Amino acid sequence: MSEFHSKIKTIEWQKTPEGGCSVMVDQTKIPHSFEYVEIKTIKEMYDAIKTMIVRGAPAIGIAGAHGCALLALELLEKYREENALEFIKELFEGFEYLNSSRPTAVNLSWAIQKQKEVVEYYKNVPGMTLKKLAENLIENAIKLENEDIEINKKIGDFGAEIIPKGAGILTHCNAGALATVGYGTALGVVRSAFAKDNTIQVFADETRPRGQGAKITTFELVKDGIPVTLLTDGMCSYFMKNKMIDVVVVGADRIAANGDTANKIGTSTVAITAKYYGVPFYVAAPKSTIDLSIKSGDDIVIELRDEEEVTIINGKRICAEGVKVINPSFDVTDNSLIAGIITEEGIFKPEELKEKLQK
Ligand code: MRU
């Protein structure tokens, strides 16, 4: 396997004498070009998340952690030691602002909360300075960044166990190296399975409206030499009926305590179809995507995005003026449709989550 994924990091903190910045792959340019952008302020990070330069729940989480560190660096210019309380107040206000950039993927608020805990802990440590506080936020962001890849490899290895020999694996959206710091969750399972059995193949839904499956999933699988066939959304029934799909593996943006799972719009349609044809449907996600504070999927806030994502393709309007559009970015797959949730601690049935993963 030519391991493209192991040569890149989707998002990485770049240290400089002044503290550093966040460097990320601009995912809006894939597959036409592969470019990195430097993000230097919290406002730039908010915009990068909102406009989906960085996307995918775990990658957004790390972007959030980086954004918190960037704000601390910015505030060092504004405050002196005697104004530490004002520094922390403005820092936490900035954390809230960053958290509002996209509502559904819980990894964002999870990572920001981790950064908040760093501030709460170190602010009372004797000899702490504002500069040291900022350095601690940078170190914690780098730690979360490195852990993400380790976690995804564990998810991949657990998940590979449920992939039958020579399987056709359907996935929806992009839960790959480019949706994480590296390796991927659903595509991490594919990568680990392919390392053991190079006769497996992937079927990737194009994932309208933004086309993450067509643009990003096919890009990274082709680069890694893993066979992939592109489906338009709505083709999965044909492929399942004709026994070309043996298993479905998708990522997740937020999993409720009962296992209901929010993922890219169209995921629940795939799950319902898979149930009909008896194809097992798995979710691959880190524990940071599991939100035990909410009972069910009914409590998950679904992001509504711009209607032009639906009405315009490549700069051209594809429908009549005056048509109504609603553009929910995610849907919730009912726990009854999910065979298992593949995490870094093993594979759990939806009803086991609460008991097994109580933090
Ligand atoms: O809107 P996006 O592209 O951020 O949505 C991404 C997804 O829905 C992914 O499947 C999910 O975040 C899992 S990524 C490992």
Side-chain angles (χ1 to χ4, degrees):
M1 176 163 42
S2 76
E3 294 207 320
F4 155 81
H5 74 86
S6 62
K7 298 192 188 93
I8 61 131
K9 263 181 153 186
T10 301
I11 176 164
E12 185 168 29
W13 186 268
Q14 188 174 294
K15 282 191 176 176
T16 64
E18 299 75 44
C21 67
S22 179
V23 179
M24 59 177 68
V25 176
D26 183 345
Q27 302 202 37
T28 62
K29 302 264 169 53
I30 295 172
H32 306 294
S33 66
F34 194 79
E35 295 170 26
Y36 290 90
V37 283
E38 286 185 0
I39 302 293
K40 296 187 171 149
T41 65
I42 189 164
K43 169 79 175 78
E44 286 175 8
M45 188 59 87
Y46 176 96
D47 291 342
I49 297 172
K50 183 114 192 148
T51 62
M52 295 173 66
I53 287 173
V54 61
R55 43 125 327 257
I60 293 174
I62 302 306
H66 284 189
C68 295
L70 288 171
L71 178 59
L73 291 175
E74 287 179 71
L75 295 180
L76 285 182
E77 309 281 313
K78 184 169 169 189
Y79 291 103
R80 310 235 165 273
E81 295 305 325
E82 54 271 29
N83 304 116
L85 286 180
E86 285 96 323
F87 174 95
I88 291 171
K89 182 169 174 285
E90 192 167 340
L91 196 61
F92 284 175
E93 283 167 5
F95 287 9
E96 289 304 314
Y97 159 73
L98 194 58
N99 196 25
S100 68
S101 53
R102 289 193 80 190
T104 305
V106 70
N107 306 62
L108 179 60
S109 51
W110 171 86
I112 291 172
Q113 177 58 28
K114 292 276 170 211
Q115 292 291 53
K116 211 168 171 184
E117 285 163 18
V118 166
V119 178
E120 296 287 9
Y121 176 80
Y122 282 105
K123 73 178 188 193
N124 299 319
V125 169
M128 186 50 53
T129 62
L130 298 183
K131 186 159 182 281
K132 280 189 197 160
L133 205 55
E135 282 164 3
N136 282 313
L137 286 171
I138 292 171
E139 287 315 315
N140 194 46
I142 294 171
K143 177 174 159 282
L144 295 176
E145 194 184 295
N146 292 330
E147 283 173 357
D148 179 74
I149 299 182
E150 295 313 311
I151 288 168
N152 295 336
K153 289 192 171 156
K154 287 185 189 155
I155 292 172
D157 291 343
F158 280 119
E161 299 296 319
I162 56 93
I163 303 296
K165 185 150 181 46
I169 307 165
L170 178 70
T171 194
H172 190 79
C173 194
N174 173 263
L178 289 159
T180 60
V181 179
Y183 204 69
T185 56
L187 294 191
V189 172
V190 165
R191 289 195 161 93
S192 294
F194 189 75
K196 295 202 293 191
D197 169 15
N198 67 6
T199 68
I200 64 162
Q201 58 176 314
V202 175
F203 293 85
D205 280 344
E206 74 170 329
T207 319
R208 276 281 285 149
R210 290 186 68 103
Q212 292 93 326
K215 293 176 181 166
I216 304 174
T217 294
T218 65
F219 175 83
E220 63 172 79
L221 290 178
V222 167
K223 286 260 181 207
D224 262 1
I226 300 176
V228 54
T229 302
L230 178 62
L231 275 56
T232 63
D233 298 343
M235 283 185 180
C236 71
S237 173
Y238 174 92
F239 282 81
M240 288 180 190
K241 186 177 168 69
N242 287 292
K243 309 217 176 300
M244 293 156 87
I245 311 289
D246 301 287
V247 58
V248 180
V249 186
V250 298
D253 287 82
R254 191 183 294 243
I255 302 173
N258 71 348
D260 287 350
T261 294
N263 191 49
K264 181 53 54 194
I265 190 78
T267 302
S268 70
T269 313
V270 174
I272 292 164
T273 311
K275 185 82 168 179
Y276 182 81
Y277 289 111
V279 175
F281 178 97
Y282 286 90
V283 173
K287 283 197 304 175
S288 53
T289 304
I290 299 170
D291 185 355
L292 292 178
S293 76
I294 55 168
K295 279 202 195 116
S296 80
D298 293 343
D299 301 323
I300 299 177
V301 176
I302 300 293
E303 176 184 15
L304 291 173
R305 293 189 64 89
D306 198 321
E307 62 180 61
E308 292 196 339
E309 288 184 350
V310 176
T311 57
I312 294 177
I313 296 184
N314 290 339
K316 277 206 164 154
R317 194 170 173 90
I318 56 152
C319 51
E321 294 288 351
V323 70
K324 284 188 194 159
V325 174
I326 301 171
N327 182 17
S329 196
F330 302 95
D331 61 22
V332 174
T333 297
D334 195 83
N335 58 10
S336 63
L337 303 170
I338 300 171
I341 297 169
I342 307 163
T343 74
E344 65 271 36
E345 291 193 2
I347 304 177
F348 304 110
K349 299 228 170 299
E351 62 272 21
E352 291 176 324
L353 282 186
K354 243 197 318 209
E355 177 206 335
K356 303 267 169 137
L357 296 180
Q358 201 81 46
K359 286 163 204 161

